[in-house]
Amino acid sequence: MPPLREDDPRSVGGYRLESRIGAGGMGVVYLGRSVSGRVVAVKVVHTRYADNAEFRARFRQEIAAARRVSGAFTAPVVDADPDAERPWMATTFVPGRTLAERVAESGPLDWPALRRLGTELAEALREIHRAEVVHRDLKPSNVLLEGEGDDGVVRVIDFGISRAASSDVRTQTGMVMGSPPFMAPEQFSRPREVGPAVDVFSLGAVLVYAATGRSPFEAENAYLAAYNTVHSEPELGELPEPLRPLVSHCLAKEPADRPTSGEVLDALAGLPEALTDGGPGEEPSRLPVTVLTGAPAPQSTKAGQTGQGPRRKRRWITLAAVAFIAVTGTASAALLGIAPASTVDEVDRADPQAAPRGSAPPGWKPWHKTLEPDEDDPIPIGPACTPDALGVFCSSPQIALMRMSPATGHVDWSKPMSKKEVNSFSGGEPVVHDGVVYVNSADRSEGVDAFDGRTGERLWHLDGPVGEFAYLSGVLLVRLDPLGPSDTARYAAYEPRTGEELWRRELAAASPSPFYEGPEGTLYADLRGGSGGIARLDARTGRTLGDVTAPKGDLWLATVHDGTAYYARWENDTGVSAAFFIQDLGSGKTRRIDFPWSVEPEAPPLVHGDTMYIFDYGNETLLALDLKRGKPLWTSSRELRVFSEPAIHDGRLYVNMPDTSILALDPRTGKEIGRTTPSFDTAGRSFEELTPSSMPPLLVGGVLYGVSEPGIFSVADVSD
């Protein structure tokens, strides 16, 4: 066993700790010894969770569940203190190895060992369920084989996410508790409704693993394994024939179609103790017919929860995400949609592999600037910055706009903000397009100023207050009315460089930001909640060209790309989604994509070709979905912790990391291509203290620009 680490406690609750047994998501398990010499396993909750009321309640629940089911096939609780500074629980120490270790070291089990394993696991589950407890995380690493060889007693351990029928602790919406690929489908789609049937499903998956060395829903990562569990039939591999009918029914998609743990035990008891050779014409052993009577064949079910609660006001209502377009390596433009309507249309539409890589600006060296003033730059950079080929443009309560050199990070020029007193700074990131920068006006009237990005000359001004503004389809769109609860609002379009008003209209729409970029000089307007659906407008005249009826339900129009609308379905009032609806805005036809579990997008997804990339803020992962097949391609691991919206440049997918490095991924596989060195020292700051960035990395001429909570930085692109 691994020795104790320097920061590990030496004793807990009167038990002397001697070594580490293992560590999990909730805590660390130690080998401990009582004063009398009794050996125990002591589980201690991680320090970071000790002050979390939910985790403390969950740990109390684990202790109660473990005490209720202590028996021949579990590790009895010896002592516990859920109210300690670091809650802990001591159980009888069971020497042995887990089923996962056994299979990894010695390969799949033979028939006698497999039959015994199944019988003892089924008996353990029967006793657990009789105590009105659902384990919910039965997997090979939670199955302990006591003693040597395959003849030892089976013990079911770790009731960390178990739940008693009378428990008051409920799974949060969007929180997936368990371990793909041994979880049941309903643990992804209906986590609050799980019952004993989930353990039976896991038992079936564990038996397949024990017999073949693989889960029946094996995949490259947890997300794909979850998708396979919900949508695909199990791969049983070389599972012995006598077990196949029983295991198939344990793995039924619908809980009602699975046998109970007691029925599984009866069926296993009726199997032969030894397999026949199965010669020509010889029938293999079959299950008793009574076990299968009335159980229909397993049917696939779709994930996703209903819920038509009111639209949740998301963070992007006031801080819209920015998407970038890389243009032939020498110029770029930042496109900011009126939040939440910022789009990722036309991102890298040309062949990404053919795009030239360009070169760094003359005299460029890696640089970084903190958001706070320092000795070199007494002017505070401020919280809102947009990188561009011309430089990095920032605004703050003190500075209306400044440009930092892309080569050095030094301030080239700045425009002061009026000294007029206001309650707060309401400006967002500067909008940059074709050399013009649009920001909240320097007179603090909450209007719009347009500056020449090269010289800093103000080109035109629009009096405020206005709601929001964005460059879309060749015009600057401005909401003329302040943001706030209203069924209607006035919008106007302006010539980007001169400020000439092109048109204005009053629209009836539920969305505070209804516009999206369309093809060939058109706009899409989300008029749901008013008198229409999704309308197509001429961007230069504002004239309506046509419309389609939007799908019904509590849907957020997340983005529009290449004439296709992508809607996320909110689950109640949670801001998480388990399904996307995809609508052709020409024909109005709609189809649906379901996710195995709920994701929490905080900004519009990135659509590139036939793939959608979604940054899940809740789990800090990046999901890639095949839009043609309606299936996931890959997901980043939760241990990786993606920390920004993604961007595609030169055939690579780029994201920020918590340590302020930039990660490059293969868009087709999610495999890491490389990463830059961190630009800031984040030592001593936990991930929880940092905030993911809404600004994706920008690649210009072989140089990457990133915006993170510590500041702004410029680094060389990841080498091949």
Side-chain angles (χ1 to χ4, degrees):
M1 295 181 186
L4 294 176
R5 298 178 182 175
E6 184 176 346
D7 57 347
D8 283 331
R10 268 33 190 182
S11 65
V12 172
Y15 297 93
R16 186 178 75 254
L17 306 185
E18 299 181 349
S19 61
R20 279 186 166 223
I21 296 176
M26 185 182 286
V28 180
V29 181
Y30 301 95
L31 180 69
R33 194 176 299 272
S34 68
V35 176
S36 64
R38 184 181 188 181
V39 180
V40 295
V42 183
K43 182 174 184 177
V44 183
V45 171
H46 286 307
T47 302
R48 62 181 179 272
Y49 295 142
D51 294 331
N52 186 304
E54 179 189 347
F55 277 92
R56 194 174 282 269
R58 192 171 295 282
F59 192 66
R60 281 196 188 90
Q61 179 175 285
E62 176 181 3
I63 294 171
R67 278 177 167 154
R68 293 176 69 175
V69 302
S70 291
F73 299 104
T74 58
V77 176
V78 174
D79 198 358
D81 187 356
D83 298 315
E85 182 177 355
R86 289 185 63 185
W88 59 271
M89 173 177 64
T91 63
T92 300
F93 174 68
V94 181
R97 54 182 175 170
T98 67
L99 177 61
E101 293 169 335
R102 160 63 180 82
V103 172
E105 294 168 4
S106 307
L109 275 60
D110 59 18
W111 172 253
L114 184 63
R115 180 180 179 276
R116 174 170 180 158
L117 171 74
T119 302
E120 294 193 355
L121 279 179
E123 187 171 353
L125 288 183
R126 185 187 64 178
E127 297 308 310
I128 290 171
H129 295 164
R130 282 178 175 175
E132 298 184 342
V133 171
V134 182
H135 190 282
R136 299 205 301 170
D137 197 20
L138 184 68
K139 57 184 178 181
S141 59
N142 282 341
V143 175
L144 197 61
L145 306 177
E146 182 180 7
E148 297 297 327
D150 296 329
D151 295 328
V153 174
V154 169
R155 302 270 189 168
V156 175
I157 60 174
D158 199 347
F159 287 78
I161 63 170
S162 61
R163 192 171 80 192
S166 58
S167 171
D168 289 331
V169 178
R170 294 291 181 260
T171 302
Q172 296 178 4
T173 302
M175 179 179 290
V176 179
M177 305 298 293
S179 305
F182 296 95
M183 295 164 61
E186 62 267 29
Q187 287 180 274
F188 302 107
S189 59
R190 305 183 301 276
R192 299 186 182 188
E193 303 173 16
V194 299
V198 303
D199 292 340
V200 173
F201 187 97
S202 299
L203 171 60
V206 167
L207 289 177
V208 174
Y209 174 86
T212 67
R214 291 172 56 88
S215 158
F217 305 101
E218 196 78 29
E220 294 181 0
N221 54 60
Y223 183 80
L224 292 180
Y227 186 91
N228 290 342
T229 300
V230 174
H231 296 282
S232 304
E233 295 305 316
E235 295 288 341
L236 301 184
E238 299 300 318
L239 183 71
E241 184 64 28
L243 267 180
R244 297 177 82 89
L246 175 61
V247 167
S248 294
H249 281 79
C250 288
L251 297 176
K253 302 298 185 187
E254 286 297 328
D257 294 340
R258 300 172 205 148
T260 65
S261 52
E263 290 172 336
V264 174
L265 180 61
D266 292 340
L268 288 167
L271 293 181
E273 295 186 2
L275 294 180
T276 62
D277 292 335
E282 185 175 354
E283 285 291 322
S285 301
R286 299 290 182 182
L287 289 173
V289 176
T290 54
V291 174
L292 305 181
T293 300
Q299 298 292 324
S300 298
T301 59
K302 290 187 176 182
Q305 298 182 16
T306 60
Q308 306 299 328
R311 183 181 305 276
R312 180 178 178 181
K313 293 182 179 178
R314 307 300 289 156
R315 170 157 66 192
W316 59 72
I317 292 297
T318 54
L319 293 176
V322 177
F324 298 104
I325 305 174
V327 183
T328 62
T330 58
S332 70
L335 175 67
L336 178 62
I338 298 178
S342 67
T343 69
V344 202
D345 295 345
E346 308 302 318
V347 176
D348 206 6
R349 292 292 300 277
D351 180 2
Q353 302 298 336
R357 300 200 55 80
S359 59
W364 176 86
K365 291 182 179 180
W367 57 266
H368 64 272
K369 297 290 182 180
T370 62
L371 295 178
E372 300 297 329
D374 56 32
E375 294 181 357
D376 294 332
D377 289 305
I379 302 174
I381 293 173
C385 295
T386 301
D388 182 79
L390 292 176
V392 179
F393 295 92
C394 299
S395 59
S396 74
Q398 295 80 23
I399 300 298
L401 182 66
M402 71 171 67
R403 188 185 82 176
M404 290 188 291
S405 166
T408 65
H410 294 158
V411 175
D412 290 332
W413 50 258
S414 65
K415 302 299 174 181
M417 183 73 78
S418 167
K419 297 186 181 299
K420 175 183 175 182
E421 293 294 330
V422 294
N423 292 330
S424 62
F425 172 65
S426 60
E429 292 92 349
V431 176
V432 189
H433 186 85
D434 196 23
V436 181
V437 186
Y438 309 92
V439 292
N440 282 98
S441 58
D443 63 3
R444 295 188 183 267
S445 70
E446 297 185 355
V448 180
D449 280 341
F451 290 92
D452 186 305
R454 295 170 178 81
T455 65
E457 176 190 1
R458 192 173 79 170
L459 300 176
W460 57 272
H461 165 81
L462 178 66
D463 288 332
V466 302
E468 293 177 321
F469 54 91
Y471 183 98
L472 295 172
S473 298
V475 300
L476 189 78
L477 278 168
V478 180
R479 178 184 169 116
L480 300 177
D481 297 317
L483 292 175
S486 176
D487 295 331
T488 62
R490 296 172 302 137
Y491 295 88
Y494 296 88
E495 182 67 42
R497 183 163 285 273
T498 67
E500 176 190 357
E501 183 176 311
L502 300 173
W503 56 265
R504 69 170 58 194
R505 289 183 59 174
E506 183 174 84
L507 297 178
S511 171
S513 311
F515 287 106
Y516 301 78
E517 185 158 280
E520 300 176 353
T522 62
L523 297 165
Y524 288 106
D526 180 5
L527 304 183
R528 294 175 299 161
S531 58
I534 309 299
R536 186 165 60 93
L537 280 62
D538 185 301
R540 304 289 298 182
T541 67
R543 182 169 58 91
T544 300
L545 303 175
D547 62 5
V548 297
T549 301
K552 297 180 179 180
D554 186 22
L555 305 178
W556 165 51
L557 181 49
T559 192
V560 175
H561 174 76
D562 200 20
T564 303
Y566 299 86
Y567 306 84
R569 187 190 68 186
W570 289 147
E571 297 179 8
N572 300 317
D573 192 27
T574 61
V576 298
S577 179
F580 261 77
F581 292 82
I582 303 175
Q583 182 180 37
D584 185 312
L585 292 177
S587 65
K589 292 183 179 179
T590 303
R591 57 192 176 94
R592 169 175 170 161
I593 293 179
D594 288 289
F595 305 154
W597 60 61
S598 298
V599 299
E600 186 177 355
E602 286 274 355
L606 169 64
V607 178
H608 181 73
D610 294 324
T611 307
M612 176 192 289
Y613 302 94
I614 300 175
F615 176 33
D616 178 4
Y617 275 75
N619 292 307
E620 292 169 358
T621 56
L622 189 63
L623 314 180
L625 300 170
D626 185 320
L627 296 173
K628 279 191 172 180
R629 297 186 302 156
K631 294 183 178 181
L633 290 174
W634 53 265
T635 181
S636 61
S637 71
R638 297 188 184 188
E639 288 72 28
L640 190 63
R641 303 199 75 149
V642 172
F643 231 54
S644 79
E645 298 296 328
I648 286 185
H649 304 293
D650 287 359
R652 293 171 172 173
L653 196 65
Y654 293 90
V655 292
N656 290 343
M657 304 301 291
D659 64 357
T660 70
S661 62
I662 293 179
L663 182 70
L665 302 170
D666 186 321
R668 296 161 298 182
T669 64
K671 300 296 184 183
E672 180 174 337
I673 296 174
R675 71 175 70 195
T676 67
T677 56
S679 293
F680 292 90
D681 182 6
T682 58
R685 299 185 66 183
S686 67
F687 291 159
E688 289 73 17
E689 294 179 284
L690 301 171
T691 301
S693 174
S694 64
M695 186 75 63
L698 172 67
L699 176 67
V700 180
V703 175
L704 286 165
Y705 299 90
V707 180
S708 66
E709 184 174 315
I712 306 155
F713 55 93
S714 175
V715 292
D717 186 19
V718 180
S719 60
D720 291 318

